[in-house]
Amino acid sequence: MSASTQIVKRKARSFPAPSVIPGFRATFGFTLFYLSLVVLFPLSMLVIRASELGLAGLYGVAVEPRVAAALRTSFFISFAAAAIDVVFGLVTAWVLTRYEFPGRRFLDAIVDLPFALPTAVAGIALAALYAPNGWLGEPLADYDIKIAFTRWGILVALVFVGLPFVVRTVQPLLAEIDVELEEASATLGASRAHTVWRVLLPPILPALLTGFALAFARSVGEYGSVIFIAGNLAYISEIAPLLIIVKLEQFDYAGATGIATIMLAISFAVLLAINLIQAWSQKRFGHV
Amino acid sequence: MSDALAPAIRIAATRRVTEEAPLTRYLLIGVAVAFLGLFLLLPLAVVFTEALTKGAGAFFATFDEPDARAAIRLTLLVAAIVVPLNAVFGICAAWAISKFSFPGKSVLITLIDLPFSVSPVVSGLVYVLVFGSQGLLGPTLSSHGIQIVFAIPGIVLATIFVTFPFVARELIPLMQEQGTVEEEAALTLGASGFRTFLTVTLPNIKWGLLYGVLLANARAMGEFGAVSVVSGHIRGLTNTIPLQVEILYNEYNIVSAFALASLLAGLALVTLGIKTLLEWRYAGQIAGRRRH
């Protein structure tokens, strides 16, 4: 008894907690060193440059009309794309986990395509597909619908990019739901639609929100798959990441830093939101 | 009318209470298949058909171009440097995090995941801020004749950044689940620490490691945004395959652009194939599909 209390006491003092396993200092040291060198040091450079600008400077960059327009474009279209992904991602995840049909496993595997396909390849493929002479662009042009080289093109590219985030966040939860809950609901007289709406969907809501946040965060920063189909007209179809590159090419480092800092702040806000959603979900449903 | 309804009613009668009506089911399957076909399969099909519009000759001619060959060589070189480095890092980080308990662990995990929440363009930008001509270290280094950005080292660094978490975040949950019992047994039996890792830990994590390496490699070879910022776009020198694709496409050299792109699309398909295989075959031995 006294020996175990001693261990507990030592645990509080030593770093790491005592263990017979060797190699902590080497692996932990290398981890910290490599992390600092490759990630933390360069990122802190951005923070330092941004603090040199100061809040007033950052605000000045943000309200510059072209920057404001680009941020708005990125923000709103990413939001819309993530919303579309939530709807179709839920249907896709539902179909893939609940139904058996020929080609299901193939479709399940292909959902990850946006993760695996390089963004530039996706970009030129989407541009070719929706261009006025493309497979989809040509028939759509007959109805006077233009996708490529407009804001709709950005939306299409961002829907592509964000889809797997929603599907892969929702899918494991759908697979784990206890069938007995649904049976109970049905025996109590609920219609199938009612069961789905009141029994199945609520526990999935946090996952849907997380998927939405992940898709949104990814979309705001997305570059490669968007620029080929966007048209990139300043004030209209220019996304924030592209404007960073434009600023860099003009050697406007302050402007580039400003936009990057704002985007980074958005990412962190989204990360925080995801953590809050998961904490809430843990409390409400007992799962993440 | 009643004839047409009869089969539907019969099916409805035998349907389990936890299933949707057949019509709803077919409708949902139809929506999902149409959506995936439209957004995922069509773009994929376009890559290969555009690459082959002028026949196999034009397709293969792309790969005889010296610039294309240089791009392929550079991409392979970058991946060959980046992937092993990040794999070693991932193993070290997972070892320290999963086999020991120490305060601040969750902060460390969050920091390792950080590059995933940074836009690729911003990932490139931070290296320009450090190593560029107006950067912190740029002027000092260039006075010694060392160039980092707009040269190969910058491309390597930016690629390390964007693929940084892949192996680590795959191995950390896996090794946390496996615990330390087996390692402790090996150590009590007199095995050295390194031998314990090689003969006990490594066999336990090999599929997870392969999974992480696979994803890191796909991203390393395909990265566009971050590399685009730091590369300088010098043909034959600092263009990776994705950058070369961009240049060819912007020059309206569509067949060559898509031919090179089809190389990357092929890589993506192979990656997805192996990934799916690993998920089916070794589901218990990879943390897999948690989240990307």
Side-chain angles (χ1 to χ4, degrees):
Chain A
M1 190 64 201
S2 73
S4 71
T5 21
Q6 248 184 333
I7 289 172
V8 172
K9 268 187 191 161
R10 274 190 61 200
K11 240 183 202 171
R13 264 182 284 130
S14 69
F15 182 92
S19 162
V20 292
I21 292 177
F24 179 76
R25 275 213 261 170
T27 55
F28 185 75
F30 177 68
T31 300
L32 270 194
F33 170 73
Y34 191 69
L35 176 72
S36 310
L37 191 73
V38 182
V39 177
L40 300 183
F41 168 57
L43 271 181
S44 64
M45 240 358 256
L46 181 71
V47 177
I48 291 169
R49 285 275 182 270
S51 65
E52 285 167 6
L53 283 174
L55 273 182
L58 277 180
Y59 182 75
V61 172
V63 294
E64 204 181 292
R66 189 171 172 187
V67 177
L71 285 171
R72 256 201 315 273
T73 304
S74 279
F75 198 85
F76 284 120
I77 301 182
S78 298
F79 198 90
I84 294 173
D85 280 331
V86 163
V87 174
F88 288 96
L90 176 61
V91 173
T92 304
W94 180 276
V95 164
L96 290 179
T97 40
R98 299 228 141 200
Y99 303 149
E100 195 54 61
F101 56 94
R104 186 185 63 86
R105 288 193 144 187
F106 170 73
L107 285 184
D108 193 16
I110 214 77
V111 164
D112 278 333
L113 186 72
F115 286 148
L117 192 69
T119 54
V121 178
I124 62 168
L126 290 170
L129 197 55
Y130 289 94
N133 59 354
W135 289 355
L136 293 174
E138 203 167 356
L140 286 171
D142 292 342
Y143 298 95
D144 265 340
I145 301 172
K146 268 199 213 156
I147 304 274
F149 319 125
T150 69
R151 291 169 151 209
W152 293 107
I154 304 179
L155 184 70
V156 167
L158 294 182
V159 168
F160 171 86
V161 160
L163 180 71
F165 288 96
V166 177
V167 178
R168 294 304 185 221
T169 325
V170 175
Q171 217 175 1
L173 278 182
L174 274 179
E176 273 166 25
I177 287 177
D178 203 341
V179 174
E180 285 173 15
L181 282 179
E182 297 171 55
E183 286 169 352
S185 167
T187 41
L188 291 171
S191 71
R192 183 62 192 157
H194 197 73
T195 302
V196 169
W197 188 246
R198 299 298 297 272
V199 177
L200 288 178
L201 286 187
I204 295 168
L205 185 66
L208 276 176
L209 286 174
T210 305
F212 175 87
L214 288 170
F216 175 76
R218 169 71 198 263
S219 293
V220 170
E222 180 56 26
Y223 174 70
S225 50
V226 175
I227 53 160
F228 294 98
I229 197 173
N232 307 325
L233 283 174
Y235 301 101
I236 298 168
S237 55
E238 187 174 58
I239 52 167
L242 175 65
L243 196 52
I244 292 181
I245 288 189
V246 171
K247 296 263 177 202
L248 271 181
E249 279 166 359
Q250 297 165 346
F251 299 103
D252 179 4
Y253 283 56
T257 305
I259 305 171
T261 310
I262 295 164
M263 286 175 51
L264 212 57
I266 295 174
S267 313
F268 289 158
V270 172
L271 263 189
L272 187 69
I274 292 174
N275 282 327
L276 291 177
I277 293 167
Q278 291 183 341
W280 166 68
S281 163
Q282 194 74 49
K283 230 171 81 187
R284 171 76 178 72
F285 302 106
H287 65 71
V288 178
Chain B
M1 190 68 190
S2 64
D3 275 358
L5 276 177
I9 289 164
R10 207 175 331 123
I11 292 169
T14 56
R15 168 164 73 90
R16 302 187 53 216
V17 289
T18 53
E19 276 173 5
E20 286 75 47
L23 190 65
T24 320
R25 221 179 320 161
Y26 295 138
L27 196 72
L28 286 175
I29 291 175
V31 168
V33 170
F35 186 77
L36 295 181
L38 188 68
F39 274 88
L40 303 184
L41 294 179
L42 261 185
L44 193 62
V46 163
V47 175
F48 295 104
T49 40
E50 289 281 346
L52 292 166
T53 38
K54 296 215 175 111
F59 177 83
F60 287 113
T62 305
F63 302 102
D64 287 335
E65 288 285 320
D67 287 351
R69 288 185 168 223
I72 295 170
R73 266 199 306 275
L74 180 58
T75 293
L76 292 175
L77 173 73
V78 169
I81 298 171
V82 167
V83 175
L85 266 178
N86 279 348
V88 170
F89 161 74
I91 292 171
C92 283
W95 182 269
I97 287 171
S98 65
K99 304 290 176 193
F100 300 90
S101 78
F102 55 89
K105 197 186 267 188
S106 59
V107 177
L108 185 60
I109 295 177
T110 307
L111 289 177
I112 289 173
D113 269 350
L114 202 58
F116 274 168
S117 12
V118 176
S119 165
V121 172
V122 178
S123 318
L125 171 73
V126 293
Y127 286 103
V128 175
L129 292 180
V130 176
F131 296 112
S133 56
Q134 298 178 34
L136 181 71
L137 304 175
T140 324
L141 286 174
S142 68
S143 69
H144 289 82
I146 302 171
Q147 202 181 4
I148 305 283
V149 286
F150 311 129
I152 294 171
I155 298 176
V156 171
L157 282 171
T159 311
I160 288 180
F161 187 100
V162 294
T163 58
F164 188 82
F166 277 107
V167 177
R169 70 153 37 191
E170 177 55 37
L171 289 184
I172 290 168
L174 182 67
M175 286 168 71
Q176 274 176 332
E177 260 168 41
Q178 288 170 351
T180 55
V181 181
E182 290 184 31
E183 281 80 7
E184 281 162 3
L187 289 163
T188 22
L189 291 171
S192 70
F194 191 62
R195 189 160 170 223
T196 304
F197 171 74
L198 278 187
T199 56
V200 177
T201 312
L202 200 57
N204 278 339
I205 61 168
K206 62 179 181 231
W207 298 117
L209 181 62
L210 179 63
Y211 191 90
V213 163
L214 192 73
L215 297 182
N217 180 63
R219 180 73 192 265
M221 290 190 169
E223 178 51 29
F224 177 68
V227 169
S228 167
V229 175
V230 295
S231 117
H233 303 274
I234 308 164
R235 275 167 204 248
L237 280 179
T238 63
N239 271 350
T240 58
I241 301 177
L243 297 176
Q244 187 68 21
V245 167
E246 181 196 22
I247 287 187
L248 291 169
Y249 185 83
N250 287 340
E251 286 173 346
Y252 301 102
N253 196 341
I254 303 297
V255 169
S256 293
F258 277 101
L260 262 188
S262 70
L263 208 60
L264 292 173
L267 171 76
L269 286 179
V270 170
T271 303
L272 279 187
I274 302 177
K275 177 175 169 298
T276 309
L277 202 69
L278 287 176
E279 280 165 0
W280 288 350
R281 180 85 181 71
Y282 304 104
Q285 297 169 56
I286 49 175
R289 288 213 180 158
R290 294 274 151 89
R291 217 168 63 205
H292 295 256

